[in-house]
Amino acid sequence: MSNRPEPLVVARDLVKAHGRTPALRGAGLDLGAGEIVAVTGPSGSGKSTLLHCLAGIASPDEGSVTYAGERVDTLPERRLSELRRTEFGVVFQFGQLIPELTALDNVALPLMLAGTARGAAQERAADWLERFGAGEQRGLRPGELSGGQAQRVALARALVTGPRVVLADEPTGALDSLASEQVMAALVRTARETGAAVLVVTHDAQVAAYADREVRLQDGVTQDGVTAGLEVHA
Amino acid sequence: MQYILISMSTRHILLGLLAKGPSHGYDLKRRHDEHFPQARPLAYGQVYTTLQRLVRDGLAEVAGTDADGGPERTLYRLTEDGAREATDWAGQVTPPAPYVTNEIFAKVVVAILTDGDPASHLLAQRAAHMERMRELTTLKTAPGTELATVLAADYALNHLDADLRWMTTTQARLTTLTAVTVEADRA
Ligand SMILES: Nc1ncnc2c1ncn2[C@@H]1O[C@H](COP(=O)(O)OP(=O)(O)O)[C@@H](O)[C@H]1O
Ligand SMILES: [Mg+2]
């Protein structure tokens, strides 16, 4: 407990409503550098909203999010999109690949936007597709991919730039158990190799078991005590 | 060291091991522990009493002795009945036991009966389950892990996962029940 790394991302007392629907009602968490954290909770408990707040995609009504000491929730859009391009790798719950581009170009795009030449970008993109078991789909467009294949491509795209923080929303939601095992193993291996911090939103306990610890969300509130040291009575 | 598999039918596993050919107690113990690395190792005493019962029930018989330089050891082999019993058992569907005697279930019921705090108990139990699932996941994904260990870990993970799903549903039910009670009290 005591030797947990300095938090890289800190969220405190987040409150957020979508219109009149409360999504977060006091959620907070720490994500240390190199740490892998699973956010779990029932459907509608606010997991996606929390991830969007951490990524600076949604701004909370109350509370704060900091990344490496810098407030994310009040940052101007220019600096935010720079952060998202260089420091964060985000995997959305519902894919969001670019339909006109092949799997390979979808993964290469973030590198090209950062100035890498097309050939070199495609070469690295191919490695990442391979790592997540989607090498054979490199020439297909998102419309030709199964749900699980699209998730593998989306993960490769999120990791290709070597982000310090990976935020993944249900990255194994469309995969069967062996496929999610393969994807989670690849994600954990990547995180250990690159030192990236990873936050995985999932409702699957077997996926959450790949993380170092679990943060539980219930009705928009992160539960205390879940990660505290526990005595198990045999 | 915590073992993943705890209660197994020693009787049938010994029959299965004997199906490979005559063997003595020590060898059976060693092969059992090799085949089920995630189970509690067999005690010699248990091997010998089980063998005696198999002989008594006509499922195994003494096939002579084997000295092999050391002390003499009794060799056992399967009888025809024993071979049939092993195959029949392995082919039988296991009763899908409703684990109503499960300790977690009992504790939640007792917590409700005693006006305790089942919700926070469930939260703590979840943390303990998750901790164990993390250990099992680390074990099964370590490079070079044997297939038998991976399968045992998968088995345990899926059962712990089932417990967790039951605990989540229970928690939701308790919340709903409380809400209903509060509503009824207001009315
Ligand atoms: N764009 C939206 N408009 C209206 N309500 C929303 C929107 N997004 C989420 N919600 C609501 O906010 C709550 C939390 O949603 P979400 O964060 O998606 O939960 P989860 O990811 O845990 O399923 C839910 O009640 C959901 O219906
Ligand atoms: Mg969601």
Side-chain angles (χ1 to χ4, degrees):
Chain A
M1 290 278 104
S2 52
N3 58 1
R4 192 176 291 163
E6 246 338 84
L8 185 59
V9 179
V10 179
R12 287 285 175 269
D13 309 317
L14 296 179
V15 174
K16 169 89 183 164
H18 298 285
R20 301 184 57 185
T21 312
L24 298 177
R25 300 184 302 137
L29 62 78
D30 291 350
L31 181 61
E35 196 182 22
I36 304 178
V37 171
V39 174
T40 67
S43 177
S45 58
K47 304 185 294 296
S48 293
T49 305
L50 175 60
L51 183 135
H52 293 160
C53 288
L54 296 179
I57 294 158
S59 54
D61 302 332
E62 290 173 37
S64 66
V65 177
T66 60
Y67 167 72
E70 188 176 13
R71 279 286 286 263
V72 170
D73 53 302
T74 52
L75 227 49
E77 184 50 39
R78 274 181 71 100
R79 170 84 185 117
L80 253 182
S81 55
E82 184 191 327
L83 263 188
R84 281 201 295 266
R85 208 171 52 239
T86 58
E87 310 279 303
F88 296 172
V90 185
V91 182
F92 294 96
Q93 186 169 5
F94 303 106
Q96 307 205 343
L97 296 171
I98 297 170
E100 292 79 14
L101 298 182
T102 62
L104 187 69
D105 284 332
N106 262 286
V107 178
L109 187 65
L111 290 174
M112 288 161 65
L113 288 177
T116 309
R118 184 149 195 243
Q122 286 187 335
E123 217 167 285
R124 263 167 68 193
D127 285 346
W128 282 97
L129 283 173
E130 207 60 61
R131 182 176 272 234
F132 283 101
E136 285 177 19
Q137 283 77 42
R138 51 187 286 168
L140 300 183
R141 281 169 226 284
E144 301 165 311
L145 298 172
S146 74
Q149 288 165 349
Q151 287 189 318
R152 293 166 192 259
V153 175
L155 270 167
R157 183 181 60 178
L159 287 158
V160 73
T161 53
R164 286 180 72 197
V165 181
V166 177
L167 304 165
D169 198 350
E170 306 270 8
T172 62
L175 299 171
D176 61 35
S177 55
L178 281 187
S180 39
E181 184 174 303
Q182 189 196 11
V183 162
M184 285 310 295
L187 184 58
V188 169
R189 183 156 41 91
T190 303
R192 299 296 183 222
E193 281 169 17
T194 64
V198 178
L199 185 136
V200 181
V201 164
T202 182
H203 63 270
D204 182 341
Q206 297 197 49
V207 168
Y210 281 85
D212 301 321
R213 61 188 174 91
E214 175 186 47
V215 171
R216 185 101 183 125
L217 252 186
Q218 186 87 43
D219 298 326
V221 183
T222 39
Q223 306 281 301
D224 282 333
V226 180
T227 56
L230 284 154
E231 274 179 57
V232 177
H233 301 278
Chain B
M1 164 91 190
Q2 255 182 305
Y3 299 106
I4 302 176
L5 302 170
I6 42 171
S7 58
M8 296 197 300
S9 173
T10 307
R11 183 181 167 87
H12 291 100
I13 289 168
L14 289 189
L15 285 176
L17 293 172
L18 282 172
K20 288 282 176 206
S23 195
H24 54 70
Y26 175 80
D27 194 39
L28 287 169
K29 180 234 172 338
R30 190 182 50 77
R31 282 162 63 212
H32 169 279
D33 297 349
E34 250 171 49
H35 278 274
F36 300 99
Q38 299 308 322
R40 202 188 296 282
L42 272 189
Y44 289 110
Q46 200 188 349
V47 177
Y48 287 108
T49 50
T50 309
L51 282 169
Q52 275 156 20
R53 282 192 202 127
L54 291 176
V55 171
R56 181 198 65 197
D57 297 341
L59 301 174
E61 60 194 11
V62 172
T65 53
D66 163 25
D68 203 18
E72 282 206 342
R73 289 172 173 145
T74 310
L75 277 175
Y76 294 86
R77 70 166 165 242
L78 278 194
T79 62
E80 253 174 55
D81 279 355
R84 195 173 321 115
E85 172 68 19
T87 329
D88 284 354
W89 180 77
Q92 269 165 27
V93 171
T94 304
Y99 294 99
V100 285
T101 54
N102 187 299
E103 200 174 321
I104 304 169
F105 172 76
K107 283 178 176 166
V108 168
V109 172
V110 170
I112 294 169
L113 291 174
T114 58
D115 290 328
D117 186 358
S120 66
H121 171 73
L122 285 170
L123 207 58
Q125 186 62 52
R126 181 184 174 88
H129 264 57
M130 285 305 304
E131 183 67 41
R132 184 80 186 116
M133 288 178 75
R134 280 191 288 271
E135 288 169 16
L136 289 163
T137 303
T138 306
L139 174 72
K140 82 165 177 179
T141 52
T145 303
E146 278 183 40
L147 179 61
T149 304
V150 173
L151 297 182
D154 278 343
Y155 186 86
L157 278 165
N158 279 290
H159 282 77
L160 291 169
D161 194 7
D163 280 353
L164 281 179
R165 267 177 276 149
W166 174 78
M167 293 192 299
T168 306
T169 308
T170 300
Q171 186 141 26
R173 278 197 208 288
L174 292 175
T175 313
T176 316
L177 281 181
T178 314
V180 170
T181 318
V182 172
E183 285 290 303
D185 285 351
R186 282 213 196 102

